[in-house]
């Protein structure tokens, strides 16, 4: 049977009408948004955190104290302890917050802080809060708890419709992550708030890296939080979310209670109780490494396409890290160097600067399209002299897995998510910045530059040790073709294609590599 040409015309018109109507739903005017700012650290000096930190800071004037949070359980404990220890303020900023075990527990920790009188400001990118609308709307009604959504979607369900009507705006996201208590201590780095970042649940673990910081850099971070909180893209939740219904707050509390009572959460709490950070803190042995630390961050106006007054974060980062003389060691989960980046690395190698890079292998990468953006640069990077490693999956030996869980590269079930690099064994960057076009041009990012040979060499040592255990080294063979070398002790296995992957996945990546979308990745 042949359909008449005009049969589906009314349906097409109806769909177009709906899309046009949705497109007409502009963001609401920013009315009745209250001004609020971080409390100066001098005014929180008499809090528990302030009193504990003061003697340490006084002994190291001008420097900030740093603890690397490599272990997933330590990273959760650090956030939970800051939430429980805060007495004045909690300023929290994240790209993704899931309503799973760890997300529920930390949201409940913020709520309990608000209940005891702590002012909580929660700034979340609106693209990463699936299922949280009613909970956030309820929490926003608490007199001590304010929620703002960064670059929000007007249509709440399904959100993806927003990309059809407002893609140029919604493609820009706030990728920053920070957790600050009383303007005395902060945590920044690569981790979002979800089970895969903290080793909870049964899914894969993201191998990530954060830092816990005290000292002068915390006030820098708080000022930056204020800049985002007051930006033109930070909308009060009440303007975006449906109004909280009666009983929604009770539902949030009950969800937290049910979560904490679940067997899965109980097992996680028991595992967290073994945290080395918690043990060292309780024994008074939490050793901060003191060093000059500076914050680098994008202007929130970046998402609006406005040129920043003091340069993009990528430019700030390049200036802060200085000109490498001997070595660069780079860890990035989503690594797309672009042609310009390859030329930079080539130039550095010609000057005698040794460049080592660790990123995800195809079997470990959670975004195949991003891997396609990277894969076409492997051969040019190797030809430029770069030493290239890709995170792999290690066979499940208990002792090896347990050992790797305490290190930067993560466990055998990991996908790499840490973003860090070291220069000349002296300077270290830790933050949210991926070395790809999206971090450079589209998303906002945040990080610390740490002038510490001790921490830098610690990171480089971990890189060297773990690259042998958990990574393939990618090389060129005698025919100028790619090879992946897997080392297991004295045993060496070579592969002629991406290890641990099927033909279909490799073909898909090959197809993706031809799409003109590199600037979006």
């Amino acid at each position: 049977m042949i359909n008449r040409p005009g049969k589906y015309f009314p349906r097409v018109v109806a769909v177009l009408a709906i899309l046009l109507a949705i497109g007409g739903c502009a963001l609401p005017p920013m009315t009745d948004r209250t001004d609020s700012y971080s409390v100066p650290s001098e005014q929180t000096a008499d809090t528990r955190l302030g009193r504990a930190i003061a003697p340490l800071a006084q002994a190291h004037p001008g420097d900030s104290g740093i603890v690397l949070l490599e272990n997933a359980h330590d990273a959760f404990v650090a956030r939970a302890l800051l939430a429980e220890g805060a007495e004045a303020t909690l300023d929290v900023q994240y790209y993704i917050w899931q309503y799973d075990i760890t997300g529920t527990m930390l949201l409940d920790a913020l709520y309990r802080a608000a209940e005891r009188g702590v002012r909580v400001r929660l700034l979340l990118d609106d693209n990463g809060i699936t299922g949280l609308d009613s909970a956030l709307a309820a929490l926003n009604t608490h007199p001590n708890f304010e929620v703002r959504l960064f670059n929000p979607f007007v249509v709440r369900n399904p959100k993806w419709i927003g990309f059809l009507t407002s893609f140029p705006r919604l493609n820009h996201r706030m990728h920053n992550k920070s957790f600050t208590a009383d303007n005395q201590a902060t945590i920044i780095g690569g981790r979002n708030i979800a089970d895969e970042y903290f080793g909870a649940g049964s899914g894969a673990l993201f191998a990530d890296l954060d830092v816990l910081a005290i000292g002068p850099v915390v006030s820098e971070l708080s000022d930056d939080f204020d800049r985002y909180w007051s930006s033109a893209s930070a909308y009060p939740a009440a303007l975006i979310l449906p109004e909280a219904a009666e009983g929604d707050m009770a539902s949030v509390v009950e969800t937290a209670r049910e979560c904490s009572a679940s067997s899965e959460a109980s097992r996680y709490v028991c595992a967290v109780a073994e945290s080395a950070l918690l043990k060292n803190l309780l024994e008074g042995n939490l050793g901060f490494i003191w060093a000059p630390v500076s914050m680098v961050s994008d202007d929130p106006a970046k998402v609006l396409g406005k040129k920043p007054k003091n340069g993009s974060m990528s430019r700030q980062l390049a200036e802060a890290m200085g000109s490498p003389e001997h070595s660069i060691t780079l860890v990035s989960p989503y690594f797309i160097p672009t042609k310009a980046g390859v030329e930079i690395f080539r130039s550095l190698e010609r000057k005698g600067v040794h460049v080592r890079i660790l990123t995800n292998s195809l079997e470990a990468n959670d975004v195949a399209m991003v891997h396609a953006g990277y894969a076409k640069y492997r051969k040019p990077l190797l030809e430029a002299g770069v030493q290239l490693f890709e995170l792999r999956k290690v066979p499940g030996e208990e002792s090896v897995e347990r050992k790797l869980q305490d290190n930067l590269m993560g466990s055998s079930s990991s996908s790499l998510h840490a973003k860090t690099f070291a220069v000349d064994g002296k300077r270290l960057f830790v933050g949210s910045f991926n070395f790809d076009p999206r971090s450079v041009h589209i998303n906002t990012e945040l990080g610390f530059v740490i002038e510490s040979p001790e921490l830098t060499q610690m990171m480089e040592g971990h890189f060297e040790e773990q690259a042998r255990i958990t990574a393939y080294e990618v090389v060129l063979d005698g025919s100028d073709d790619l090879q992946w070398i897997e080392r297991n002790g004295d045993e060496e296995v070579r592969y002629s294609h991406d290890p641990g992957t099927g033909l279909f996945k490799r073909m898909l990546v090959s197809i993706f590599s031809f799409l003109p979308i590199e600037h979006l990745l």
Side-chain angles (χ1 to χ4, degrees), residues 220-237:
E220 285 188 56
L221 190 284
S222 291
D223 289 344
D224 194 64
F225 180 92
D226 285 346
R227 182 168 65 151
Y228 275 81
W229 184 255
S230 303
S231 71
S233 297
Y235 281 74

Side-chain angles (χ1 to χ4, degrees), residues 418-429:
K419 308 105 170 43
T420 181
F421 76 101
V423 171
D424 292 341
K426 299 176 182 178
R427 297 180 297 281
L428 178 69
F429 167 80

Side-chain angles (χ1 to χ4, degrees), residues 160-427:
W160 59 262
I161 287 178
F163 286 114
L164 298 179
T165 61
S166 306
F167 182 80
R169 174 177 67 85
L170 293 174
N171 183 45
H172 294 266
R173 307 312 320 171
M174 181 190 74
H175 198 232
N176 312 37
K177 295 110 173 165
S178 67
F179 198 113
T180 307
D182 291 349
N183 202 0
Q184 294 288 336
T186 191
I187 298 167
I188 67 102
R191 288 184 177 91
N192 294 295
I193 306 299
D195 286 353
E196 55 264 35
Y197 298 95
F198 298 114
S202 57
L205 169 69
F206 277 168
D208 221 321
L209 179 65
D210 298 319
V211 296
L212 168 65
I214 60 176
V217 77
V218 180
S219 291
E220 285 188 56
L221 190 284
S222 291
D223 289 344
D224 194 64
F225 180 92
D226 285 346
R227 182 168 65 151
Y228 275 81
W229 184 255
S230 303
S231 71
S233 297
Y235 281 74
L239 295 179
I240 302 297
L241 302 180
E243 186 176 353
E246 185 177 352
D248 277 359
M249 184 67 85
S251 177
V252 171
V253 174
E254 179 62 18
T255 298
R257 187 195 68 78
E258 291 175 355
C259 174
S260 62
S262 71
S263 58
E264 203 168 21
S266 296
R267 286 194 299 273
Y268 182 68
V269 170
C270 288
V272 164
E274 300 298 318
S275 159
L277 181 138
L278 181 61
K279 181 174 182 290
N280 289 333
L281 184 67
L282 293 174
E283 294 176 354
N285 294 326
L286 186 59
F288 286 92
I289 293 175
W290 292 85
V293 180
S294 56
M295 184 199 71
V296 288
S297 74
D298 276 309
D299 189 317
K302 181 180 181 181
V303 303
L304 301 175
K306 297 180 180 179
K307 190 174 181 179
K309 295 178 182 178
N310 58 345
S312 64
M313 175 175 159
S314 55
R315 182 177 294 276
Q316 296 171 42
L317 185 54
E319 292 174 354
M321 295 302 286
S323 299
E325 297 177 356
H326 308 293
S327 65
I328 293 179
T329 303
L330 188 153
V331 178
S332 181
Y334 311 122
F335 177 64
I336 304 175
T338 72
K339 291 180 180 178
V342 172
E343 288 308 309
I344 290 173
F345 290 131
R346 191 189 309 277
S347 174
L348 288 169
E349 287 282 351
R350 285 173 178 165
K351 293 176 183 177
V353 178
H354 182 41
V355 180
R356 299 180 299 173
I357 296 170
L358 173 73
T359 189
N360 278 309
S361 65
L362 180 54
E363 70 176 338
N365 200 321
D366 62 322
V367 187
M369 192 170 290
V370 171
H371 191 84
Y374 148 74
K376 60 189 176 186
Y377 291 109
R378 286 187 289 209
K379 187 175 288 189
L381 285 167
L382 293 170
E383 290 171 343
V386 171
Q387 194 173 12
L388 189 59
F389 299 90
E390 294 180 357
L391 186 75
R392 64 184 175 92
K393 293 187 177 181
V394 179
E397 294 181 29
E398 181 73 22
S399 60
V400 173
E401 284 194 13
R402 184 57 185 249
K403 177 183 178 184
L404 296 183
Q405 285 174 0
D406 293 329
N407 289 288
L408 176 64
M409 308 313 165
S411 75
S412 64
S413 59
S414 296
S415 176
L416 182 68
H417 198 259
K419 308 105 170 43
T420 181
F421 76 101
V423 171
D424 292 341
K426 299 176 182 178
R427 297 180 297 281

